[in-house]
Amino acid sequence: MKSPTLHDVARLAGVSSATADRVLNRRGNVAEKSVRKVEEAVNQLGYVRNIAAANLSKKRGYHLAFVLPRRSHAFFGRMHEQLQKAALHLKSARVSIDVIEFEAFDIHALEAALSGLSETNYDGVAFVGLGQEAALKPLEALRASGVKVVSLVSDGPQDCRDHYIGIDNEKAGRTAARLVGMAHAGNIGRLIVAAGSLDARDHSDRIKGFRAVLKRDFPNIEITPVIETMDQPRQMRELLSERLRNDAGNTAIYNVGSGNEGLVDAIRMNGRDGLSVCVVHELSTCTRDALEDGTIDVAIDQRPEIELNRALALLQAIVDDLPPPPAPELIPAIYLRDNLPNE
Amino acid sequence: MKSPTLHDVARLAGVSSATADRVLNRRGNVAEKSVRKVEEAVNQLGYVRNIAAANLSKKRGYHLAFVLPRRSHAFFGRMHEQLQKAALHLKSARVSIDVIEFEAFDIHALEAALSGLSETNYDGVAFVGLGQEAALKPLEALRASGVKVVSLVSDGPQDCRDHYIGIDNEKAGRTAARLVGMAHAGNIGRLIVAAGSLDARDHSDRIKGFRAVLKRDFPNIEITPVIETMDQPRQMRELLSERLRNDAGNTAIYNVGSGNEGLVDAIRMNGRDGLSVCVVHELSTCTRDALEDGTIDVAIDQRPEIELNRALALLQAIVDDLPPPPAPELIPAIYLRDNLPNE
DNA sequence: CAAAAAATGATGATCGTCAATCATTTTGTC
DNA sequence: GACAAAATGATTGACGATCATCATTTTTTG
């Protein structure tokens, strides 16, 4: 009924609890024979260390840091918000969370933020990996000193973090393509693609997936040259308006990046005549409204709240050197006007 | 830095830790004045009870029961599987999970299973609420004896459980309608709808949402009379084949319930000529294959694995009388052939 | 075989909370 | 002011693991 304790293991193994402890925590100075006996007892009893008791005695709480871009974009705002809620809830589990903000898209801001962490003594760090190529050294330093590291949203080299939590952006692009394709029902189409910057890894992955599917399965749809908006609503509005005004015959729009306010403005001004489908990424006040009034049709959403929860659960586990909790793959939500989340 | 303990609270309140304990655990026999002082100290220090220590001292583990239908359907198989994985992972947190299986769609099986629980002493129970109308009495008994109760997948009366975890089926139906509509690109269509049984709450909810959207936004699509399949692949195959053979001009299929093996067979036999879109519910080996080879286009999936994880996290929290962990709404995944989860 | 080295056992404090006991003080009431 | 009732304080031993210390035993080595 009740689970066995370290004492039970020691007794069954015929050693003292001190030795059993030495084995389980790899303190060394144990005879090979004793190690085997203890391990056998562990297996036989199905002993699992009581982490709560362990942490209590070690007077350890989970000390975590989240390195996030400022709340400039709605997307990161949602992350911050969820983090705050979660932090409150996790206080009773001795999880303390510090938030370190940095300027998004500033190449060196992330590096600076991460460097600052090496002095402190966090158990785990999660960071949004935009521009992490510049931040390899501080990451390496962190990991070398035993800190567990998780990258969020955008992944980088495998050996600069313990895990990545985020969506598969190529898959997201393919999904968008399929939706655009389906909405043409075999008709001929012409498509406008807009992107923030073709340099960003996540954006280029999306475009790659998008193009692949469109080319293979929907040759009836022609892609016009990509609009680069630098994720700025204004540029988006102007460039897109121009396209819509000058070229008739556009049937679809896909925005890979952000700047959706501009996109929505442009469509509202020009009307949706001839446009059979419009797909964007991320849910925000703006895109939500646009979905509800039919200005756009689909918002593919990363669900940052869920990513954040995952990161928290994962860090808690790996900080204890436990295997990551079993969790199914992150699939971006496909929001239509009919399945928007409440409130 | 480190969080305050009960002792700190007592000291600040100017009472003994015994009294502080009496206040926090509502043991009674405390003067109103002392209660106030302690509560004030709690607020001032931001004291949060260390649950790990509390549970350790109470020698309490989380003793949970999951009452699930047998693994007859792929859907429940996925739940069982996830539950097993999670159970393994949660052993170190002193969470023990018992699984009680019952025969799906047997009205009294659930009642019997739940009745059996009143003898035992679980802290929390999750159950799949198919046919819970018949099981109100045992649920009431459980809750009366302090057991926390969560219903999964299909909800019932509010006061027979503490929380419901599952999708909004009406929303799922609306989503299906939107996808079907989009895929018609304004063309005229004729739609075949199949359902397991119109009695099942979740199925009827889906149909309700589906019809509402189709009627309002896609009057160009005609709905032919619903095929009732009792979720049996064979009936599905025969009835659907008949329809496809006899009536030309069908443009879409929507299956509200299960029995997708039959649906897939029928379409493969008849070919997809003229069918512009085919939407079903739940991902399984069968529907996954069908998505990949283009037999069907969309599978709306409840993601039982996620529901299960949610239930676990929720039970752990409410068993401790904590507020439910902050988690965003469950949105069913929309699977296309391009965003299927790996492996 | 003796000395050094390695392995082991025994013990006890600690973490924060719970739960129980018993002694003492503060109330309220007639 | 006596007396009961209520409130409080003080104390203690779990709970399960960690970690350090010290004494003792076993093994290795020359």
Side-chain angles (χ1 to χ4, degrees):
Chain A
M1 189 80 272
K2 67 182 286 299
S3 28
T5 73
L6 187 56
H7 264 87
D8 300 326
V9 171
R11 194 167 344 112
L12 180 62
V15 300
S16 74
S17 52
T19 300
D21 170 64
R22 286 190 259 256
V23 173
L24 266 97
N25 292 312
R26 315 180 191 291
R27 299 186 206 283
N29 285 334
V30 187
E32 183 56 38
K33 196 176 54 167
S34 303
V35 173
R36 273 208 322 281
K37 282 194 296 184
V38 169
E39 283 172 348
E40 198 174 317
V42 165
N43 290 333
Q44 198 171 327
L45 292 176
Y47 169 78
V48 179
R49 166 208 264 99
N50 182 336
I51 295 202
N55 286 340
L56 182 58
S57 103
K58 279 190 289 201
K59 14 185 168 244
R60 215 255 264 135
Y62 301 81
H63 204 38
L64 307 181
F66 274 72
V67 182
L68 305 178
R70 294 194 199 293
R71 338 167 65 109
S72 49
H73 284 42
F75 181 80
F76 299 123
R78 287 168 66 190
M79 277 208 161
H80 276 98
E81 209 171 306
Q82 181 67 19
L83 188 50
Q84 271 194 318
K85 284 189 208 161
L88 207 62
H89 182 261
L90 288 172
K91 270 194 78 174
S92 57
R94 304 289 102 161
V95 179
S96 81
I97 302 173
D98 291 349
V99 181
I100 292 103
E101 301 189 51
F102 68 95
E103 204 58 57
F105 307 114
D106 173 347
I107 310 262
H108 299 296
L110 176 61
E111 185 187 5
L114 288 169
S115 298
L117 296 182
S118 34
E119 320 290 279
T120 61
N121 58 334
Y122 287 105
D123 302 304
V125 171
F127 72 100
V128 168
L130 298 172
Q132 64 186 275
E133 289 72 16
L136 292 181
K137 265 155 292 169
L139 284 174
E140 202 176 327
L142 274 177
R143 297 194 64 204
S145 62
V147 182
K148 306 293 179 178
V149 175
V150 169
S151 75
L152 294 172
V153 180
S154 178
D155 200 14
Q158 293 246 347
D159 53 340
C160 75
R161 44 79 183 161
D162 295 279
H163 292 269
Y164 163 62
I165 293 187
I167 63 168
D168 178 336
N169 280 303
E170 215 176 302
K171 219 180 243 189
R174 291 203 299 269
T175 308
R178 175 73 44 192
L179 290 165
V180 166
M182 277 176 58
H184 279 77
N187 300 326
I188 285 178
R190 190 165 63 196
L191 177 74
I192 302 175
V193 175
S197 149
L198 294 176
D199 297 336
R201 166 85 178 271
D202 46 352
H203 290 192
S204 63
D205 280 353
R206 287 176 190 170
I207 292 192
K208 187 174 160 203
F210 186 85
R211 286 211 135 97
V213 168
L214 217 62
K215 185 173 172 191
R216 192 190 58 201
D217 290 344
F218 303 101
N220 49 313
I221 302 174
E222 167 202 1
I223 309 189
T224 57
V226 174
I227 298 179
E228 272 203 72
T229 66
M230 310 313 284
D231 285 330
Q232 297 301 315
R234 189 189 309 175
Q235 293 193 44
M236 170 65 97
R237 177 169 45 239
E238 289 171 8
L239 294 170
L240 181 58
S241 290
E242 198 186 311
R243 283 278 188 98
L244 289 174
R245 245 184 290 115
N246 297 349
D247 290 344
N250 295 304
T251 58
I253 302 175
Y254 172 45
N255 182 21
V256 177
S258 62
N260 284 320
E261 296 86 347
L263 177 142
V264 168
D265 284 349
I267 299 180
R268 286 195 179 136
M269 280 162 46
N270 288 273
R272 277 207 43 166
D273 297 349
L275 277 179
S276 54
V277 65
C278 179
V279 177
V280 305
H281 281 272
E282 309 312 342
L283 196 62
S284 61
T285 332
C286 157
T287 55
R288 189 185 176 108
D289 288 347
L291 279 170
E292 280 173 344
D293 71 13
T295 305
I296 64 177
D297 303 287
V298 180
I300 298 176
D301 189 68
Q302 284 193 58
R303 308 209 77 192
E305 299 87 356
I306 292 186
E307 292 184 347
L308 204 115
N309 283 349
R310 286 277 176 96
L312 275 169
L314 180 62
L315 278 175
Q316 278 184 78
I318 63 178
V319 155
D320 285 324
D321 287 309
L322 253 42
E329 187 178 331
L330 285 170
I331 305 287
I334 298 175
Y335 284 121
L336 314 173
R337 62 182 290 185
D338 307 287
N339 65 346
L340 290 167
N342 294 327
E343 105 247 14
Chain B
M1 186 83 272
K2 67 182 283 298
S3 28
T5 72
L6 187 56
H7 263 87
D8 300 326
V9 171
R11 197 170 339 115
L12 180 61
V15 301
S16 75
S17 51
T19 300
D21 171 65
R22 288 190 257 255
V23 173
L24 266 96
N25 292 310
R26 314 179 193 292
R27 298 186 207 282
N29 284 337
V30 187
E32 183 56 38
K33 195 176 57 170
S34 303
V35 174
R36 275 208 322 279
K37 282 195 297 184
V38 169
E39 282 171 349
E40 198 173 317
V42 165
N43 289 333
Q44 198 170 327
L45 292 176
Y47 168 79
V48 179
R49 164 209 263 99
N50 182 335
I51 295 201
N55 286 342
L56 180 58
S57 145
K58 278 189 290 201
K59 20 184 165 247
R60 213 254 266 130
Y62 301 80
H63 204 39
L64 308 181
F66 274 72
V67 183
L68 305 179
R70 294 193 199 294
R71 338 167 63 110
S72 49
H73 283 42
F75 181 79
F76 298 123
R78 287 168 67 189
M79 277 209 161
H80 277 98
E81 210 172 305
Q82 181 66 20
L83 188 51
Q84 271 194 318
K85 286 189 205 160
L88 207 61
H89 182 262
L90 288 173
K91 270 194 77 172
S92 57
R94 304 289 102 161
V95 180
S96 82
I97 302 173
D98 292 348
V99 182
I100 292 103
E101 301 190 51
F102 68 95
E103 204 59 57
F105 306 114
D106 173 346
I107 309 261
H108 298 296
L110 175 61
E111 185 187 3
L114 288 171
S115 298
L117 296 182
S118 36
E119 320 290 280
T120 62
N121 58 333
Y122 288 106
D123 303 305
V125 171
F127 72 100
V128 168
L130 299 172
Q132 63 187 276
E133 289 71 17
L136 292 183
K137 264 156 292 171
L139 284 173
E140 201 175 330
L142 274 177
R143 296 194 65 204
S145 62
V147 181
K148 306 293 178 178
V149 175
V150 170
S151 74
L152 293 172
V153 180
S154 178
D155 200 13
Q158 294 247 347
D159 54 339
C160 74
R161 44 77 182 161
D162 295 279
H163 293 269
Y164 163 63
I165 292 187
I167 64 168
D168 178 335
N169 280 304
E170 214 176 306
K171 220 180 242 189
R174 291 202 301 267
T175 309
R178 175 73 45 190
L179 290 164
V180 166
M182 277 175 60
H184 279 77
N187 300 327
I188 284 178
R190 190 166 62 197
L191 176 74
I192 302 175
V193 176
S197 150
L198 294 177
D199 297 336
R201 165 86 179 269
D202 46 353
H203 290 193
S204 62
D205 280 353
R206 287 176 191 169
I207 292 192
K208 186 174 161 201
F210 186 84
R211 286 211 136 98
V213 168
L214 217 63
K215 185 174 172 191
R216 190 190 59 201
D217 291 343
F218 303 101
N220 50 312
I221 302 174
E222 167 203 0
I223 309 188
T224 57
V226 173
I227 298 180
E228 272 203 71
T229 67
M230 309 314 284
D231 285 330
Q232 297 301 315
R234 188 189 308 175
Q235 293 194 43
M236 170 67 96
R237 177 169 47 240
E238 289 170 10
L239 294 172
L240 182 57
S241 291
E242 197 186 312
R243 284 280 186 97
L244 289 174
R245 246 184 290 115
N246 297 348
D247 290 343
N250 295 305
T251 58
I253 301 174
Y254 172 45
N255 182 20
V256 178
S258 63
N260 284 320
E261 295 86 348
L263 177 144
V264 168
D265 284 350
I267 300 180
R268 286 196 180 132
M269 280 162 44
N270 288 274
R272 277 210 40 167
D273 297 349
L275 276 180
S276 53
V277 64
C278 179
V279 177
V280 306
H281 281 273
E282 310 311 341
L283 197 62
S284 61
T285 333
C286 158
T287 55
R288 189 184 176 109
D289 288 347
L291 280 170
E292 279 172 345
D293 72 13
T295 305
I296 64 177
D297 303 286
V298 180
I300 298 175
D301 189 67
Q302 284 193 60
R303 309 208 76 193
E305 299 87 355
I306 293 186
E307 292 183 347
L308 204 115
N309 283 349
R310 286 278 175 94
L312 275 169
L314 181 62
L315 277 175
Q316 276 183 80
I318 62 177
V319 155
D320 285 323
D321 287 310
L322 252 42
E329 187 178 331
L330 285 170
I331 305 287
I334 297 175
Y335 284 121
L336 314 172
R337 62 182 288 187
D338 307 285
N339 64 346
L340 290 166
N342 294 327
E343 103 246 14

Short mmCIF file of all heavy atoms in Angstrom, two decimals, chain B residues 260-297:
data_model
loop_
_atom_site.label_atom_id
_atom_site.label_comp_id
_atom_site.label_asym_id
_atom_site.label_seq_id
_atom_site.Cartn_x
_atom_site.Cartn_y
_atom_site.Cartn_z
N ASN B 260 -14.90 5.22 -37.94
CA ASN B 260 -14.22 5.78 -39.12
C ASN B 260 -13.61 4.72 -40.04
O ASN B 260 -13.39 4.99 -41.22
CB ASN B 260 -13.13 6.74 -38.67
CG ASN B 260 -13.70 8.07 -38.21
OD1 ASN B 260 -14.65 8.58 -38.81
ND2 ASN B 260 -13.16 8.62 -37.14
N GLU B 261 -13.36 3.53 -39.50
CA GLU B 261 -12.82 2.49 -40.37
C GLU B 261 -13.79 2.24 -41.53
O GLU B 261 -13.37 2.11 -42.69
CB GLU B 261 -12.61 1.18 -39.60
CG GLU B 261 -11.57 1.26 -38.50
CD GLU B 261 -12.15 1.77 -37.18
OE1 GLU B 261 -13.31 2.27 -37.20
OE2 GLU B 261 -11.47 1.70 -36.16
N GLY B 262 -15.05 2.17 -41.17
CA GLY B 262 -16.05 1.93 -42.20
C GLY B 262 -16.14 3.07 -43.20
O GLY B 262 -16.24 2.87 -44.41
N LEU B 263 -16.04 4.27 -42.67
CA LEU B 263 -16.10 5.44 -43.53
C LEU B 263 -14.95 5.44 -44.53
O LEU B 263 -15.13 5.65 -45.74
CB LEU B 263 -16.06 6.70 -42.66
CG LEU B 263 -16.04 8.05 -43.34
CD1 LEU B 263 -16.87 9.05 -42.53
CD2 LEU B 263 -14.62 8.59 -43.49
N VAL B 264 -13.78 5.15 -44.02
CA VAL B 264 -12.60 5.16 -44.87
C VAL B 264 -12.72 4.07 -45.95
O VAL B 264 -12.44 4.31 -47.14
CB VAL B 264 -11.32 4.96 -44.02
CG1 VAL B 264 -10.13 4.67 -44.90
CG2 VAL B 264 -11.09 6.19 -43.16
N ASP B 265 -13.17 2.90 -45.54
CA ASP B 265 -13.37 1.83 -46.51
C ASP B 265 -14.32 2.27 -47.62
O ASP B 265 -14.04 2.08 -48.81
CB ASP B 265 -13.97 0.58 -45.82
CG ASP B 265 -12.92 -0.15 -45.02
OD1 ASP B 265 -11.73 0.18 -45.15
OD2 ASP B 265 -13.31 -1.05 -44.25
N ALA B 266 -15.41 2.83 -47.20
CA ALA B 266 -16.45 3.21 -48.17
C ALA B 266 -15.91 4.21 -49.18
O ALA B 266 -16.13 4.09 -50.39
CB ALA B 266 -17.66 3.79 -47.44
N ILE B 267 -15.18 5.20 -48.68
CA ILE B 267 -14.67 6.21 -49.61
C ILE B 267 -13.63 5.60 -50.54
O ILE B 267 -13.62 5.87 -51.75
CB ILE B 267 -14.05 7.40 -48.84
CG1 ILE B 267 -15.11 8.05 -47.97
CG2 ILE B 267 -13.47 8.42 -49.82
CD1 ILE B 267 -14.60 9.23 -47.18
N ARG B 268 -12.79 4.76 -49.98
CA ARG B 268 -11.75 4.15 -50.83
C ARG B 268 -12.39 3.31 -51.93
O ARG B 268 -11.91 3.28 -53.06
CB ARG B 268 -10.82 3.29 -49.98
CG ARG B 268 -9.87 4.15 -49.14
CD ARG B 268 -8.69 3.36 -48.58
NE ARG B 268 -7.84 4.25 -47.80
CZ ARG B 268 -7.37 3.99 -46.58
NH1 ARG B 268 -7.65 2.83 -45.99
NH2 ARG B 268 -6.61 4.86 -45.96
N MET B 269 -13.45 2.63 -51.58
CA MET B 269 -14.11 1.80 -52.59
C MET B 269 -14.76 2.64 -53.68
O MET B 269 -14.71 2.31 -54.86
CB MET B 269 -15.16 0.92 -51.92
CG MET B 269 -14.57 -0.32 -51.24
SD MET B 269 -15.73 -1.05 -50.06
CE MET B 269 -17.25 -1.00 -51.02
N ASN B 270 -15.38 3.72 -53.26
CA ASN B 270 -16.13 4.52 -54.22
C ASN B 270 -15.30 5.59 -54.93
O ASN B 270 -15.75 6.18 -55.89
CB ASN B 270 -17.31 5.19 -53.52
CG ASN B 270 -18.39 4.20 -53.17
OD1 ASN B 270 -19.26 3.91 -53.99
ND2 ASN B 270 -18.30 3.63 -51.97
N GLY B 271 -14.13 5.87 -54.39
CA GLY B 271 -13.33 6.94 -54.96
C GLY B 271 -13.80 8.28 -54.47
O GLY B 271 -14.90 8.41 -53.92
N ARG B 272 -12.96 9.30 -54.65
CA ARG B 272 -13.32 10.60 -54.11
C ARG B 272 -13.87 11.55 -55.17
O ARG B 272 -13.92 12.76 -54.96
CB ARG B 272 -12.12 11.23 -53.41
CG ARG B 272 -11.96 10.73 -51.99
CD ARG B 272 -11.33 11.74 -51.05
NE ARG B 272 -11.72 13.12 -51.21
CZ ARG B 272 -11.45 14.07 -50.34
NH1 ARG B 272 -10.80 13.77 -49.24
NH2 ARG B 272 -11.82 15.32 -50.54
N ASP B 273 -14.26 11.02 -56.31
CA ASP B 273 -14.74 11.91 -57.36
C ASP B 273 -15.88 12.78 -56.85
O ASP B 273 -16.86 12.28 -56.30
CB ASP B 273 -15.25 11.10 -58.56
CG ASP B 273 -14.10 10.31 -59.18
OD1 ASP B 273 -12.94 10.58 -58.81
OD2 ASP B 273 -14.38 9.44 -60.01
N GLY B 274 -15.72 14.06 -57.03
CA GLY B 274 -16.81 14.96 -56.66
C GLY B 274 -16.80 15.36 -55.20
O GLY B 274 -17.37 16.37 -54.82
N LEU B 275 -16.14 14.57 -54.37
CA LEU B 275 -16.08 14.90 -52.94
C LEU B 275 -15.01 15.94 -52.71
O LEU B 275 -13.83 15.68 -52.92
CB LEU B 275 -15.75 13.65 -52.12
CG LEU B 275 -16.90 12.73 -51.77
CD1 LEU B 275 -16.38 11.55 -50.96
CD2 LEU B 275 -17.95 13.49 -50.97
N SER B 276 -15.41 17.11 -52.27
CA SER B 276 -14.36 18.11 -52.10
C SER B 276 -13.81 18.11 -50.68
O SER B 276 -12.70 18.57 -50.46
CB SER B 276 -14.83 19.49 -52.51
OG SER B 276 -16.01 19.81 -51.84
N VAL B 277 -14.56 17.60 -49.72
CA VAL B 277 -13.99 17.61 -48.37
C VAL B 277 -14.65 16.55 -47.50
O VAL B 277 -15.83 16.25 -47.64
CB VAL B 277 -14.12 19.00 -47.72
CG1 VAL B 277 -15.58 19.37 -47.53
CG2 VAL B 277 -13.38 19.07 -46.41
N CYS B 278 -13.82 16.02 -46.62
CA CYS B 278 -14.31 14.98 -45.74
C CYS B 278 -13.72 15.19 -44.35
O CYS B 278 -12.51 15.20 -44.17
CB CYS B 278 -13.88 13.63 -46.31
SG CYS B 278 -14.40 12.28 -45.30
N VAL B 279 -14.62 15.39 -43.39
CA VAL B 279 -14.20 15.75 -42.03
C VAL B 279 -14.66 14.69 -41.04
O VAL B 279 -15.83 14.28 -41.07
CB VAL B 279 -14.78 17.12 -41.63
CG1 VAL B 279 -14.41 17.47 -40.19
CG2 VAL B 279 -14.31 18.21 -42.58
N VAL B 280 -13.77 14.26 -40.18
CA VAL B 280 -14.15 13.29 -39.15
C VAL B 280 -13.62 13.75 -37.79
O VAL B 280 -12.93 14.77 -37.69
CB VAL B 280 -13.59 11.88 -39.45
CG1 VAL B 280 -13.98 11.43 -40.84
CG2 VAL B 280 -12.06 11.88 -39.30
N HIS B 281 -13.94 12.97 -36.77
CA HIS B 281 -13.43 13.26 -35.43
C HIS B 281 -12.48 12.17 -34.96
O HIS B 281 -12.69 11.00 -35.24
CB HIS B 281 -14.59 13.37 -34.42
CG HIS B 281 -15.30 14.68 -34.47
ND1 HIS B 281 -14.90 15.78 -33.75
CD2 HIS B 281 -16.38 15.08 -35.19
CE1 HIS B 281 -15.72 16.79 -34.00
NE2 HIS B 281 -16.63 16.40 -34.87
N GLU B 282 -11.50 12.58 -34.24
CA GLU B 282 -10.53 11.72 -33.56
C GLU B 282 -9.48 11.14 -34.51
O GLU B 282 -9.78 10.61 -35.57
CB GLU B 282 -11.19 10.58 -32.79
CG GLU B 282 -12.30 10.99 -31.87
CD GLU B 282 -11.97 12.18 -30.95
OE1 GLU B 282 -10.79 12.48 -30.74
OE2 GLU B 282 -12.92 12.81 -30.47
N LEU B 283 -8.25 11.23 -33.99
CA LEU B 283 -7.13 10.66 -34.70
C LEU B 283 -6.90 9.23 -34.23
O LEU B 283 -6.93 8.95 -33.03
CB LEU B 283 -5.88 11.49 -34.42
CG LEU B 283 -4.69 11.31 -35.35
CD1 LEU B 283 -5.06 11.72 -36.75
CD2 LEU B 283 -3.49 12.10 -34.86
N SER B 284 -6.72 8.34 -35.16
CA SER B 284 -6.41 6.95 -34.82
C SER B 284 -5.52 6.42 -35.94
O SER B 284 -5.23 7.14 -36.89
CB SER B 284 -7.70 6.13 -34.76
OG SER B 284 -8.34 6.16 -36.02
N THR B 285 -5.09 5.22 -35.82
CA THR B 285 -4.26 4.67 -36.90
C THR B 285 -5.01 4.81 -38.22
O THR B 285 -4.43 5.21 -39.23
CB THR B 285 -3.99 3.17 -36.66
OG1 THR B 285 -4.04 2.92 -35.27
CG2 THR B 285 -2.66 2.77 -37.22
N CYS B 286 -6.26 4.47 -38.14
CA CYS B 286 -7.08 4.51 -39.34
C CYS B 286 -7.21 5.91 -39.93
O CYS B 286 -6.95 6.13 -41.12
CB CYS B 286 -8.45 3.94 -39.00
SG CYS B 286 -9.77 4.44 -40.09
N THR B 287 -7.60 6.86 -39.10
CA THR B 287 -7.81 8.20 -39.66
C THR B 287 -6.48 8.84 -40.05
O THR B 287 -6.40 9.63 -40.99
CB THR B 287 -8.55 9.11 -38.67
OG1 THR B 287 -7.86 9.14 -37.43
CG2 THR B 287 -9.96 8.60 -38.43
N ARG B 288 -5.46 8.48 -39.35
CA ARG B 288 -4.14 9.02 -39.68
C ARG B 288 -3.72 8.55 -41.08
O ARG B 288 -3.30 9.36 -41.92
CB ARG B 288 -3.13 8.54 -38.65
CG ARG B 288 -1.81 9.21 -38.80
CD ARG B 288 -0.78 8.66 -37.84
NE ARG B 288 0.44 9.32 -38.16
CZ ARG B 288 1.02 10.24 -37.39
NH1 ARG B 288 0.52 10.54 -36.24
NH2 ARG B 288 2.12 10.84 -37.79
N ASP B 289 -3.87 7.27 -41.31
CA ASP B 289 -3.54 6.75 -42.64
C ASP B 289 -4.38 7.44 -43.70
O ASP B 289 -3.89 7.82 -44.77
CB ASP B 289 -3.82 5.25 -42.70
CG ASP B 289 -2.79 4.47 -41.90
OD1 ASP B 289 -1.76 5.07 -41.53
OD2 ASP B 289 -3.03 3.27 -41.65
N ALA B 290 -5.65 7.58 -43.38
CA ALA B 290 -6.58 8.16 -44.36
C ALA B 290 -6.23 9.62 -44.66
O ALA B 290 -6.38 10.08 -45.79
CB ALA B 290 -8.01 8.04 -43.86
N LEU B 291 -5.76 10.32 -43.64
CA LEU B 291 -5.33 11.69 -43.88
C LEU B 291 -4.11 11.69 -44.78
O LEU B 291 -4.01 12.48 -45.73
CB LEU B 291 -4.98 12.38 -42.56
CG LEU B 291 -6.13 12.93 -41.72
CD1 LEU B 291 -5.63 13.35 -40.35
CD2 LEU B 291 -6.79 14.11 -42.43
N GLU B 292 -3.20 10.79 -44.48
CA GLU B 292 -1.94 10.80 -45.22
C GLU B 292 -2.14 10.46 -46.69
O GLU B 292 -1.44 10.99 -47.55
CB GLU B 292 -0.94 9.85 -44.55
CG GLU B 292 -0.28 10.51 -43.36
CD GLU B 292 0.59 9.56 -42.54
OE1 GLU B 292 0.46 8.34 -42.72
OE2 GLU B 292 1.39 10.06 -41.73
N ASP B 293 -3.07 9.57 -46.96
CA ASP B 293 -3.24 9.21 -48.38
C ASP B 293 -4.36 9.99 -49.05
O ASP B 293 -4.73 9.72 -50.19
CB ASP B 293 -3.42 7.71 -48.55
CG ASP B 293 -4.78 7.21 -48.05
OD1 ASP B 293 -5.67 8.04 -47.81
OD2 ASP B 293 -4.94 5.99 -47.92
N GLY B 294 -4.92 10.95 -48.32
CA GLY B 294 -5.88 11.82 -48.96
C GLY B 294 -7.30 11.27 -49.03
O GLY B 294 -8.16 11.85 -49.70
N THR B 295 -7.56 10.18 -48.32
CA THR B 295 -8.94 9.67 -48.30
C THR B 295 -9.85 10.63 -47.54
O THR B 295 -11.00 10.84 -47.90
CB THR B 295 -8.98 8.28 -47.62
OG1 THR B 295 -8.06 7.42 -48.28
CG2 THR B 295 -10.38 7.70 -47.68
N ILE B 296 -9.33 11.18 -46.48
CA ILE B 296 -10.08 12.23 -45.77
C ILE B 296 -9.19 13.47 -45.66
O ILE B 296 -7.99 13.41 -45.93
CB ILE B 296 -10.52 11.77 -44.37
CG1 ILE B 296 -9.30 11.50 -43.49
CG2 ILE B 296 -11.42 10.53 -44.45
CD1 ILE B 296 -9.66 11.13 -42.07
N ASP B 297 -9.79 14.57 -45.26
CA ASP B 297 -9.06 15.84 -45.26
C ASP B 297 -8.78 16.39 -43.87
O ASP B 297 -7.76 17.02 -43.65
CB ASP B 297 -9.85 16.88 -46.04
CG ASP B 297 -10.13 16.42 -47.44
OD1 ASP B 297 -9.19 16.42 -48.24
OD2 ASP B 297 -11.28 16.04 -47.72
#
